[in-house]
Amino acid sequence: MNRQVTGVADEKSVTSFRSDGGTGETRHRPWLKAAVLLAFLLATVGAGAFWWRSHSAPPIHYVTMPVTRGEVARAVTATGTVNPELTVIVGSYVSGVIQQLFCDYNTQVKAGQICAKIDPRPYQMTVNQAQAALDVAKAQLEKDKANLVYAKLTLDRTTALARRDFSTQDAADSAKNAYDQAQAQIGLDQATIEQREAELEAAQVNLGYTDITSPVEGTVVSRNVTQGQTVAASFQTPTLFLIATDLTKMQVDTNVSESDVGAVAEGNKATFTVDAFPSRVFEGTVTQLRQSPQSVQNVITFDAVVSVDNRDLSLKPGMTASARVVTERRSDVLRVPNQALRYLPGGIVPEGGTAATQAPTAGSGQALLWVLRDGRPAAVTVKVGLDDDSNTEIVEGDLHPGDLVIVGED
């Protein structure tokens, strides 16, 4: 009973709701329209914002570097080889077998010290032969002197007899001829003796050359022979040793290209590095610019000699050096990075001209810099001076140390 009543009541309620449904729809429909309209507006605003962001220019971030004071140095780079200032080649004047060696690499030698000895026996025999020939010539002289005395006595005797008519004139003339020949023989003997003395002296000199001696005081940097080796000096003097006179004074023989040689002069300061000490910079001075050109694969270079102090013996002969010769230097000048002179922002037209006309003009000394002031780029016309690979000197212009010059954009 209760269930039926309830069921009827529910049905009525539903029927009542349905009968009033028109009034319910009318009451909720304006809110639905407002929601749709709001969603449409939000989508439109979002699309517009997306379009504006995608088509608007992004903000420019400038890369800057400060204006500084310091040194600007123009330099010429070259490669070269480290060598002793004076290297003496010790060779052999005579041929023979190396009998003994007294010097080796790094041996400290004095002038006149024997470094090697060639077998002297063949040359000693030549000396002995020359000495014997000299002795024969001297003995011949003594013999001919005695003959001259006898010829003089014969001449005097024959002449006296001829005056008294005890001898013929022909006999007197014959005695005179014998005497003259005896005198001439004495002169010939003396000349022969001088010749034999010269031959003996030459043989003794060659014997002396079997002792290979150092002509200077220094250090042996190269030895090209071994004991028992045969050296032949018939056509060319063989090199036995290389001796450096003083390893505390070295030089770098740099190869300067012909396009840079005009800027290099004696007295220029130079720096260089070697592979053995990559973090150490050696300092030297150009002491000689040799006029003799060197051609390697049709490339002409000139030898600029850089002298350097090597008291600690760090530099070794033959090291490869990368040198930098300073040809011009300015100290304590206002300078800017070279990138700043090449920068020109697109679309910015300086006051009184165009971007193209305000660009630096080669050879005029005038250039345009962009300085960041109050967050905006400002064009500054300057007069430039000396430049190197990194910085350029500013001679005139509205710039001060600490100003930020623009070198690029992010």
Side-chain angles (χ1 to χ4, degrees):
M1 193 69 182
N2 292 334
R3 292 180 180 176
Q4 291 178 353
V5 172
T6 304
V8 173
D10 293 340
E11 185 176 354
K12 288 181 179 180
S13 299
V14 171
T15 304
S16 176
F17 174 76
R18 288 178 180 174
S19 63
D20 198 30
T23 305
E25 278 185 30
T26 304
R27 192 165 42 240
H28 288 84
R29 190 173 297 169
W31 292 102
L32 179 61
K33 290 183 178 179
V36 172
L37 181 60
L38 180 60
F40 176 76
L41 290 176
L42 290 176
T44 302
V45 171
F50 176 77
W51 181 90
W52 182 81
R53 288 187 179 183
S54 63
H55 288 77
S56 62
I60 300 176
H61 298 281
Y62 296 102
V63 179
T64 62
M65 294 185 71
V67 179
T68 60
R69 274 197 170 274
E71 181 182 84
V72 178
R74 183 177 296 169
V76 171
T77 58
T79 58
T81 305
V82 178
N83 295 309
E85 285 190 350
L86 179 60
T87 302
V88 179
I89 299 175
V90 179
S92 174
Y93 182 77
V94 296
S95 303
V97 178
I98 300 296
Q99 191 178 65
Q100 289 178 295
L101 282 176
F102 303 101
C103 296
D104 204 346
Y105 292 95
N106 300 332
T107 301
Q108 300 292 326
V109 295
K110 302 292 184 181
Q113 179 178 335
I114 299 177
C115 291
K117 188 174 185 62
I118 295 176
D119 187 359
R121 290 176 295 178
Y123 301 95
Q124 183 63 57
M125 287 188 294
T126 304
V127 170
N128 295 340
Q129 291 173 356
Q131 182 64 55
L134 176 60
D135 294 340
V136 170
K138 289 181 177 180
Q140 185 65 41
L141 174 61
E142 295 300 325
K143 176 183 176 182
D144 292 335
K145 283 183 178 180
N147 188 45
L148 177 62
V149 173
Y150 176 74
K152 181 68 170 65
L153 293 175
T154 303
L155 174 61
D156 293 341
R157 187 183 308 115
T158 306
T159 302
L161 292 174
R163 290 197 192 104
R164 301 177 186 178
D165 296 330
F166 294 133
S167 177
T168 63
Q169 186 62 38
D170 182 66
D173 293 339
S174 178
K176 179 67 168 63
N177 180 53
Y179 175 74
D180 292 340
Q181 288 185 10
Q183 279 189 321
Q185 187 62 42
I186 295 299
L188 178 61
D189 291 342
Q190 290 176 341
T192 302
I193 289 175
E194 293 178 358
Q195 180 182 4
R196 297 294 181 259
E197 288 176 344
E199 292 174 353
L200 175 60
E201 186 176 357
Q204 289 173 339
V205 169
N206 288 336
L207 178 61
Y209 280 138
T210 60
D211 291 333
I212 309 300
T213 60
S214 172
V216 294
E217 180 179 351
T219 304
V220 177
V221 297
S222 176
R223 174 180 60 82
N224 301 323
V225 292
T226 58
Q227 188 170 343
Q229 180 178 343
T230 301
V231 294
S234 302
F235 303 101
Q236 182 179 356
T237 302
T239 300
L240 306 184
F241 300 95
L242 286 179
I243 299 178
T245 55
D246 189 1
L247 292 180
T248 63
K249 296 179 180 179
M250 304 290 280
Q251 67 182 29
V252 180
D253 294 307
T254 61
N255 298 318
V256 180
S257 65
E258 60 178 325
S259 59
D260 296 329
V261 72
V264 180
E266 294 183 6
N268 288 151
K269 298 297 182 181
T271 59
F272 65 92
T273 59
V274 294
D275 293 340
F277 306 97
S279 60
R280 179 177 175 181
V281 178
F282 296 87
E283 297 183 355
T285 305
V286 177
T287 55
Q288 191 178 47
L289 183 61
R290 296 176 179 172
Q291 303 299 324
S292 176
Q294 303 174 13
S295 178
V296 179
Q297 296 181 350
N298 295 327
V299 177
I300 303 300
T301 59
F302 293 85
D303 187 3
V305 180
V306 178
S307 296
V308 59
D309 191 353
N310 189 38
R311 295 180 183 177
D312 59 354
L313 301 179
S314 298
L315 297 174
K316 311 297 183 184
M319 284 184 171
T320 300
S322 298
R324 183 174 180 268
V325 181
V326 179
T327 58
E328 193 172 358
R329 186 193 302 268
R330 305 281 174 78
S331 301
D332 193 28
V333 296
L334 199 66
R335 61 183 184 179
V336 297
N338 287 352
Q339 302 97 304
L341 296 172
R342 296 190 290 266
Y343 172 77
L344 190 64
I348 297 181
V349 179
E351 184 177 347
T354 64
T357 58
Q358 294 296 324
T361 304
S364 65
Q366 299 292 328
L368 189 68
L369 288 173
W370 292 87
V371 184
L372 194 63
R373 290 176 177 169
D374 298 329
R376 296 178 57 84
V380 177
T381 302
V382 296
K383 183 177 180 181
V384 298
L386 185 66
D387 70 277
D388 55 24
D389 295 336
S390 302
N391 300 293
T392 299
E393 175 192 9
I394 302 299
V395 180
E396 296 178 1
D398 186 17
L399 282 181
H400 306 281
D403 288 347
L404 299 178
V405 291
I406 302 175
V407 298
E409 301 174 0
D410 284 342

